[in-house]
Amino acid sequence: MSVPNVTAAWPVEIRLAKDRRALHVTFDDGNGFSLSAELLRVTSPSAEVQGHSEAQRKTVGGKRNVTILSVDPVGNYAVRLGFDDMHATGIYSWAFLRDLGLNAERRLQDYLDDLQAKGLDRDRPGVR
């Protein structure tokens, strides 16, 4: 069984939904994903969310209705997303976006499980 090379695909279109609640990304290998603002925010690759180790990773609640305010290029390898909760430190590489798209359902379920385990929810702000 071969493992897909997530770094090989290159985005051919990155488009913010009109309601700013999703980012649509299409790759040159034909894969396309609609990534919710909530999922992008709670999986942000920033140190603020991910920490510097698994033990430092934070689960952020209350982001069900977050929107994306800005999508700014970072070199030719990523975008920086700015959210309406003022989080703007995550740099989303092409490989990260593709991986998130390929695994969105599992990543969302992992997030929901973390929220429940930590007594947080999607509608009330909180961090643990």
Side-chain angles (χ1 to χ4, degrees):
M1 177 174 144
S2 66
V3 176
N5 182 353
V6 297
T7 59
W10 194 261
V12 293
E13 181 180 38
I14 299 175
R15 184 174 33 89
L16 185 57
K18 286 185 192 316
D19 66 1
R20 299 183 169 274
R21 296 176 60 94
L23 187 69
H24 305 287
V25 184
T26 305
F27 289 89
D28 60 2
D29 65 357
N31 280 304
F33 309 102
S34 181
L35 302 169
S36 74
E38 179 186 21
L39 184 62
L40 288 161
R41 173 61 179 89
V42 302
T43 60
S44 172
S46 69
E48 176 187 335
V49 174
Q50 297 303 322
H52 296 287
S53 70
E54 182 61 29
Q56 292 180 343
R57 188 177 66 80
K58 300 214 178 358
T59 301
V60 182
K63 300 302 176 188
R64 183 192 308 258
N65 295 311
V66 72
T67 60
I68 301 167
L69 296 179
S70 61
V71 180
D72 299 310
V74 176
N76 63 358
Y77 68 95
V79 290
R80 181 185 317 270
L81 301 180
F83 297 89
D84 67 352
D85 67 353
M86 299 303 112
H87 178 76
T89 58
I91 296 175
Y92 297 76
S93 70
W94 308 146
F96 182 88
L97 290 172
R98 185 162 186 275
D99 181 67
L100 190 60
L102 290 169
N103 297 292
E105 189 173 309
R106 180 186 56 79
R107 297 286 298 269
L108 180 60
Q109 189 58 57
D110 289 348
Y111 169 64
L112 296 175
D113 293 346
D114 282 348
L115 286 175
Q116 184 174 22
K118 295 177 179 179
L120 299 168
D121 73 45
R122 296 170 78 186
D123 297 309
R124 280 192 333 252
V127 177
R128 289 201 183 139

